[in-house]
Amino acid sequence: MTTPTIERITPPRIRIFDTTLRDGEQSPGCSMSPQQKLVMARALDELGVDVIETGFPASSQSDREAMTMIGREVQRPVLAVLSRCLAADIETSVRSLDSAAHPRLHVFLSTSPLHREHKLRMTREQVLESVRKHVALARSYIDDVEFSAEDATRTELDYLIEVSRVAIAAGATTINLPDTVGFTTPEEIRAMFQQVIAGVADVSGAERVIFSAHCHNDLGLAVANSLAAIEGGARQVECTVNGIGERAGNCAVEEIAMALKVRQAFYDQDTAINTQRIVSTSQLLQRLVGMPVQRNKAIVGANAFAHESGIHQHGMLRHRGTYEIMRPEDVGWEDSQMVLGRHSGRAAVEARLRALGFWLEEEELKLVFEQFKSLCEQQRVVTDSDLQTLMQGGASTQGYRLASMTISDVGSRANALVELSDPDGNRVAETAQGDGPVDALFGALSSATGVSLQLDSYQVHSVGIGADARGEANLSVRSGDEVFEGTGTSRDIIEASALAWLDVANRLLRQREATAAPDTAAAAAHA
Ligand code: KIV
Ligand code: ZN
């Protein structure tokens, strides 16, 4: 028997349930391999989240593998997996949780009239019966069971109370009331939590149940709605790093954690988030999925603490509090960048990688350190940006790597020569001409890899300041229904563009490889 989450947290506080690896990973352009999920899970552990939802095991072999790998290594937080109200899904989920020290089974079923009629084709009574049966089945295997009433905010209130009563009586230890389509408002969701909590109060065991909010951001209200849910009595918030998730995303963990910290006097609630790890965790995810956040994104955007206007700068110089409600260092922004070089040892490289959000196993560190040493032969100093680029093509990913590139003018056109090492370590060289250097470069990369990319967007901007400034290129590509994003950083923007192109191409190739060996259970659609 495992100890349910609710008894493991003293004193009581807001539990942070992170679903970056499940709801976040379901969103376009954000899919992650099991190895990438493990890297992210280690960082979430360091960030201090209470629960990590690792995936939806019945939907893919990859999610089952990820759960097993994470369970073997990440022992502190509760590890949850999602499951439909189907016996086969629940049994697959239970098996995948074998390696977890603190497992949670998260079962869900839609409750709104729209979903009952058009998605499930079930009556009110059939939904109630399914909740009763499947929560009880889940509870017969695992002590920590969360039930989610999908589309709760568009469900009749009396019926939502009835469903919650049935789920609690069947053994649910957490009741999640999601705003699945991001439709609600702060006033409405606060009242909904108050009324549901009051409506189940006489059910045996209800006093130990944790109520949870899971808000989507379709109207840009996910964080505001989650805060209002807390005012209404929610004690768990479901969120994702950088707010990634279905459509417009989920409540962003960095925003809710900082809102509760900065406005502690108002909400009188804490979280266990180590806020100084926020920026590195955010940047790690941006690199892993190749999806940068916008510059003005709260807390983790490049401009979140930048003051440009003269009036603001003047105020800041007199007193930081004039225009700053939190200090950049409190969320992990650093004023100075540590520079590593030929004389740096393994411990220094490891410490820097950890500060950037990479927590490596002994063997992985050994490999990365060797790559670091060969980089030092080519350049005098290795910056954070170099380390991140190394990690992108290093320990956790394989694919085409850029060995060299030369761009020259041919009359009014440009010529590109690229040399790559392919996934088996062989050298491939190709040339192409184009209307400009980037056009020629992308043509040569396409011939060398055999991948043709239809670009949705291509952006280049500078990151860092002064001598440390780098060019960062971001590419977005559509292939069928999927969007692939890639990032590359270098002192030279043409090289940054080549790295971003290869980042996308490698993601696309990995995805093609994964779907070439389809999993039969994958036929089950994601929630
Ligand atoms: O948005 C939602 O309703 C969900 C549930 C499956 C929890 O993600
Ligand atoms: Zn969701």
Side-chain angles (χ1 to χ4, degrees):
M1 283 277 158
T2 53
T3 318
T5 341
I6 45 177
E7 285 157 24
R8 295 179 57 232
I9 297 180
T10 41
R13 56 174 155 72
I14 302 298
R15 285 100 177 126
I16 296 294
F17 176 116
D18 184 279
T19 183
T20 306
L21 305 183
R22 198 278 298 169
D23 210 322
E25 200 253 356
Q26 269 173 226
S27 60
C30 291
S31 66
M32 283 178 244
S33 66
Q35 183 61 38
Q36 287 176 318
K37 281 195 174 188
L38 176 61
V39 170
M40 197 59 210
R42 290 176 188 148
L44 290 170
D45 184 9
E46 295 299 325
L47 181 66
V49 306
D50 298 289
V51 185
I52 299 176
E53 188 166 47
T54 68
F56 187 177
S59 79
S60 77
Q61 166 67 20
S62 163
D63 276 12
R64 294 195 283 280
E65 254 173 58
M67 178 56 237
T68 305
M69 284 164 74
I70 295 169
R72 284 196 191 123
E73 240 195 74
V74 180
Q75 306 269 309
R76 181 198 54 83
V78 170
L79 298 181
V81 290
L82 186 68
S83 179
R84 290 172 299 184
C85 274
L86 291 175
D89 268 32
I90 292 174
E91 276 142 23
T92 303
S93 297
V94 169
R95 281 195 297 278
S96 80
L97 283 168
D98 263 355
S99 62
H102 307 291
R104 172 178 296 187
L105 201 47
H106 178 190
V107 288
F108 75 99
L109 190 61
S110 290
T111 53
S112 68
L114 210 64
H115 282 218
R116 289 193 314 259
E117 189 182 335
H118 298 286
K119 178 177 144 180
L120 301 176
R121 298 184 191 225
M122 286 167 81
T123 63
R124 278 176 163 233
E125 289 65 35
Q126 285 170 324
V127 168
L128 283 176
E129 192 39 43
S130 179
V131 172
R132 192 188 333 269
K133 183 169 147 194
H134 293 104
V135 170
L137 178 65
R139 190 58 206 264
S140 72
Y141 291 114
I142 296 206
D143 283 351
D144 188 346
V145 172
E146 171 165 338
F147 172 72
S148 284
E150 193 185 1
D151 207 16
T153 53
R154 294 193 298 171
T155 300
E156 309 89 327
L157 185 65
D158 61 336
Y159 184 62
L160 188 60
I161 294 174
E162 211 179 337
V163 172
S164 304
R165 291 177 69 90
V166 165
I168 295 171
T173 45
T174 300
I175 297 288
N176 183 33
L177 305 178
D179 184 27
T180 303
V181 290
F183 174 74
T184 197
T185 64
E187 289 71 21
E188 272 176 13
I189 197 168
R190 186 187 303 112
M192 181 187 81
F193 271 88
Q194 282 165 344
Q195 284 161 342
V196 174
I197 292 171
V200 302
D202 61 323
V203 181
S204 162
E207 68 288 354
R208 289 196 306 277
V209 166
I210 297 293
F211 281 84
S212 174
H214 175 115
C215 298
H216 279 270
N217 205 29
D218 299 66
L219 294 174
L221 291 172
V223 176
N225 285 336
S226 303
L227 288 168
I230 289 173
E231 289 184 87
R235 289 295 172 266
Q236 173 177 286
V237 173
E238 306 198 355
C239 38
T240 59
V241 174
N242 301 338
I244 66 168
E246 288 279 11
R247 306 178 309 279
N250 289 63
C251 170
V253 63
E254 59 278 6
E255 296 178 21
I256 190 92
M258 289 315 291
L260 289 171
K261 189 175 167 112
V262 171
R263 302 306 309 273
Q264 217 274 342
F266 182 81
Y267 290 103
D268 194 22
Q269 291 292 342
D270 278 332
T271 69
I273 292 296
N274 174 0
T275 62
Q276 287 173 349
R277 296 225 58 93
I278 284 179
V279 168
S280 60
T281 313
S282 158
Q283 292 182 345
L284 174 65
L285 182 70
Q286 295 179 49
R287 300 268 164 190
L288 280 180
V289 296
M291 188 189 275
V293 298
Q294 85 254 23
R295 294 180 80 79
N296 64 338
K297 162 86 177 64
I299 321 286
V300 294
N303 289 357
F305 292 90
H307 303 273
E308 194 159 331
S309 92
I311 296 176
H312 285 208
Q313 285 178 350
H314 180 72
M316 283 288 293
L317 289 172
R318 293 246 164 116
H319 191 292
R320 283 179 83 157
T322 48
Y323 289 102
E324 229 171 57
I325 57 166
M326 55 199 151
R327 295 180 313 163
E329 50 272 35
D330 290 345
V331 297
W333 284 107
E334 288 180 31
D335 284 342
S336 65
Q337 290 218 339
M338 197 211 268
V339 174
L340 299 168
R342 205 148 46 88
H343 302 295
S344 308
R346 218 159 84 165
V349 174
E350 183 179 24
R352 199 62 218 140
L353 283 169
R354 287 187 168 195
L356 295 172
F358 296 100
W359 297 73
L360 303 185
E361 290 285 279
E362 196 49 37
E363 278 309 300
E364 293 168 306
L365 181 63
K366 224 165 115 188
L367 183 67
V368 172
F369 188 63
E370 275 163 26
Q371 293 169 335
F372 164 82
K373 283 286 181 199
S374 29
L375 195 60
C376 291
E377 319 246 301
Q378 298 157 33
Q379 56 188 67
R380 206 170 47 81
V381 294
V382 174
T383 63
D384 285 356
S385 165
D386 294 323
L387 279 183
Q388 278 161 333
T389 306
L390 198 107
M391 290 305 299
Q392 264 178 274
S396 57
T397 51
Q398 291 133 17
Y400 285 94
R401 310 273 311 271
L402 183 66
S404 70
M405 51 176 273
T406 315
I407 308 285
S408 50
D409 289 334
V410 209
S412 61
R413 290 172 62 76
N415 188 67
L417 162 66
V418 296
E419 202 185 346
L420 309 181
S421 68
D422 76 7
D424 301 320
N426 305 315
R427 289 278 154 137
V428 226
E430 284 291 344
T431 58
Q433 288 199 358
D435 288 338
V438 174
D439 190 34
L441 173 71
F442 289 175
L445 289 170
S446 184
S447 310
T449 57
V451 175
S452 141
L453 300 180
Q454 300 299 323
L455 299 193
D456 251 12
S457 76
Y458 164 53
Q459 291 173 358
V460 180
H461 59 262
S462 109
V463 286
I465 39 170
D468 257 341
R470 301 272 158 149
E472 181 174 290
N474 304 115
L475 292 188
S476 170
V477 163
R478 190 170 284 280
S479 167
D481 286 346
E482 291 244 45
V483 177
F484 293 84
E485 316 247 357
T487 307
T489 320
S490 166
R491 282 188 200 285
D492 169 19
I493 54 165
I494 306 290
E495 184 173 291
S497 305
L499 294 173
W501 195 99
L502 287 173
D503 189 19
V504 175
N506 286 332
R507 285 172 201 276
L508 195 76
L509 289 171
R510 277 195 297 275
Q511 202 254 8
R512 282 187 195 155
E513 220 175 272
T515 45
D519 179 77
T520 41
H526 264 202

